[in-house]
């Protein structure tokens, strides 16, 4: 029951306050640990990558367990409050919402979306920009919101912190390129595992809040994505908004063949982005921002 109170309160704190700019974000600290290990021990082998994962989970896990033990020695209400504040820093709903919605209001929308995605943006149409924004929002609802809440609810502060450790390792080294093909493999596989349930929960929540009757209709297209997880919330968002997402995309000057998600219109408008960002944020699908 305590974890439930902490999870709800942490989510509310993130919704209201977002990032605490006056302190160093814990994800930055986790990233520094990852970089430290890489600078000292990098070698593009699966073994070294496994050592990175072990080093990160043990070191950050011990630090978090120590912090949790100290917090639990305080009066119960103070423990819940402080734990919730700390846990809220591992939830990124307000930041995600504001960043994606901010693309619509940017003077240079192509530059704004380039801060959120890795695809080529200089030749994007407004519809392409809106599509990229919605895909980013849908995918990151799982990684940045639902998954952290899921592990916080199940395992407390240690759960949410170790989830973000895994997620951050994947975002830093989980690439299929010359440098990280082997080194990042264990981190990437582990990230796929821990996101398996949250990504599907995210898709179900989108379908429910979007009032879709066929609750699991997202699975048909969602399983086509290169990632075993990302396609499900993206497809759910496409179905709820009656648009088509995905499709061939340019990365670093080369077109990558990608599956499409959903069967709706291909012209994606600003209002579609607004509706996407308010599905979770306000819990009222028909309310626009």
């Amino acid at each position: 029951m305590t974890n439930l109170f902490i999870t709800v309160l942490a989510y509310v704190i993130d919704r209201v306050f977002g990032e605490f700019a006056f302190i160093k974000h814990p994800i930055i600290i986790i990233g520094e640990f990852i970089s430290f290990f890489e600078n000292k021990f990098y070698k593009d082998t699966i073994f070294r990558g496994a050592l990175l994962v072990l080093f990160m989970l043990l070191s950050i896990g011990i630090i978090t367990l120590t912090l949790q033990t100290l917090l639990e020695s305080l009066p119960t209400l103070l423990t819940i409050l402080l734990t919730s504040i700390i846990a809220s820093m591992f939830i990124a709903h307000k930041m995600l919402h504001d960043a994606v919605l901010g693309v619509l209001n940017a003077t240079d929308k192509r530059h704004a979306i380039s801060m959120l995605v890795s695809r080529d943006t200089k030749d994007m149409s407004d519809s392409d920009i809106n599509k990229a924004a919605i895909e980013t929002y849908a995918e990151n609802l799982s990684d940045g919101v639902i998954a952290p809440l899921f592990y916080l609810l199940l395992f407390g502060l240690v759960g949410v912190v170790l989830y973000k450790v895994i997620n951050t390792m994947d975002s830093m080294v989980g690439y299929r390129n010359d440098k990280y093909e082997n080194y990042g493999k264990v981190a990437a596989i582990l990230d796929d595992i821990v996101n398996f349930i949250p990504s599907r929960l995210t898709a179900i929540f989108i379908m429910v809040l979007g009032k879709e009757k066929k609750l699991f209709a997202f699975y048909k297209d969602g399983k086509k994505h290169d990632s075993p997880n990302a396609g499900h919330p993206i497809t759910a968002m496409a179905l709820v908004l009656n648009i088509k997402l995905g499709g061939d995309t340019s990365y670093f000057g080369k077109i990558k063949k990608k599956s499409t998600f959903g069967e709706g219109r291909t012209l994606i408008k600003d209002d579609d982005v607004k509706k996407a960002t308010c599905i979770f944020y306000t819990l009222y699908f028909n309310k626009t921002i």
Side-chain angles (χ1 to χ4, degrees):
M1 188 60 72
T2 300
N3 279 359
L4 177 60
F5 289 144
I6 290 171
T7 300
V8 172
L9 185 55
Y11 181 66
V12 171
I13 292 170
D14 175 70
R15 286 264 304 249
V16 174
F17 298 104
E19 304 298 312
F20 299 127
F22 55 88
I23 61 174
K24 192 170 189 177
H25 200 286
I27 300 300
I28 295 176
I29 297 173
I30 290 171
E32 290 174 347
F33 270 68
I34 295 169
S35 295
F36 165 79
F37 186 93
E38 181 173 332
N39 291 336
K40 296 288 185 180
F41 305 108
Y42 168 80
K43 190 175 182 180
D44 190 31
T45 65
I46 293 175
F47 178 71
R48 290 295 175 92
L51 287 181
L52 166 69
V53 171
L54 187 62
F55 166 76
M56 290 301 301
L57 293 179
L58 284 176
S59 59
I60 302 298
I62 290 170
I63 292 170
T64 308
L65 274 172
T66 303
L67 175 60
Q68 183 171 284
T69 301
L70 291 173
L71 289 170
E72 288 174 351
S73 68
L74 301 173
T76 302
L77 289 179
L78 188 57
T79 298
I80 292 173
L81 177 60
L82 292 178
T83 303
S84 300
I85 292 171
I86 295 169
S88 75
M89 290 187 274
F90 295 90
I91 304 166
H93 202 182
K94 180 172 172 53
M95 182 180 69
L96 173 64
H97 171 270
D98 292 351
V100 171
L101 202 60
V103 172
L104 300 182
N105 304 316
T107 304
D108 186 345
K109 292 177 70 173
R110 292 183 181 87
H111 175 72
I113 195 63
S114 72
M115 298 293 101
L116 302 179
V117 299
S118 58
R119 65 190 72 182
D120 297 332
T121 61
K122 68 175 183 177
D123 296 321
M124 278 187 171
S125 65
D126 282 351
S127 179
D128 292 333
I129 292 170
N130 291 336
K131 178 172 73 171
I134 292 171
E135 289 178 9
T136 296
Y137 187 74
E139 182 175 352
N140 282 282
L141 273 176
S142 179
D143 292 0
V145 184
I146 300 303
L149 291 173
F150 177 77
Y151 287 105
L152 177 60
L153 178 62
L154 289 183
F155 305 111
L157 188 61
V158 174
V160 69
V161 171
L162 291 186
Y163 167 75
K164 292 307 293 185
V165 168
I166 294 168
N167 192 235
T168 305
M169 283 192 292
D170 179 63
S171 68
M172 290 181 67
V173 305
Y175 298 103
R176 303 197 67 177
N177 57 28
D178 291 342
K179 184 173 183 180
Y180 294 124
E181 175 68 30
N182 296 303
Y183 182 73
K185 192 177 292 293
V186 174
I189 292 172
L190 190 56
D191 186 72
D192 286 341
I193 292 171
V194 297
N195 279 300
F196 185 87
I197 294 175
S199 65
R200 287 150 180 81
L201 283 177
T202 305
I204 291 171
F205 289 150
I206 292 171
M207 298 291 276
V208 169
L209 295 172
K211 301 177 182 177
E212 283 290 321
K213 294 180 180 178
K214 296 180 179 180
L215 203 57
F216 297 98
F218 64 84
Y219 185 74
K220 180 171 72 74
D221 283 351
K223 65 183 180 180
K224 298 176 184 176
H225 199 283
D226 289 345
S227 161
N229 300 313
H232 299 300
I234 291 173
T235 302
M237 194 70 79
L239 293 172
V240 163
L241 297 174
N242 192 31
I243 58 177
K244 182 179 289 186
L245 298 174
D248 296 350
T249 306
S250 177
Y251 293 92
F252 308 107
K254 296 181 179 180
I255 298 295
K256 181 178 180 180
K257 297 289 183 181
K258 297 176 69 175
S259 300
T260 57
F261 311 102
E263 299 176 349
R265 53 189 161 80
T266 56
L267 180 63
I268 302 174
K269 305 173 183 178
D270 287 4
D271 278 349
D272 295 317
V273 180
K274 293 177 181 178
K275 288 179 180 179
T277 56
C278 80
I279 285 179
F280 268 76
Y281 200 73
T282 65
L283 300 185
Y284 293 100
F285 176 67
N286 292 322
K287 179 177 178 181
T288 57
I289 298 174

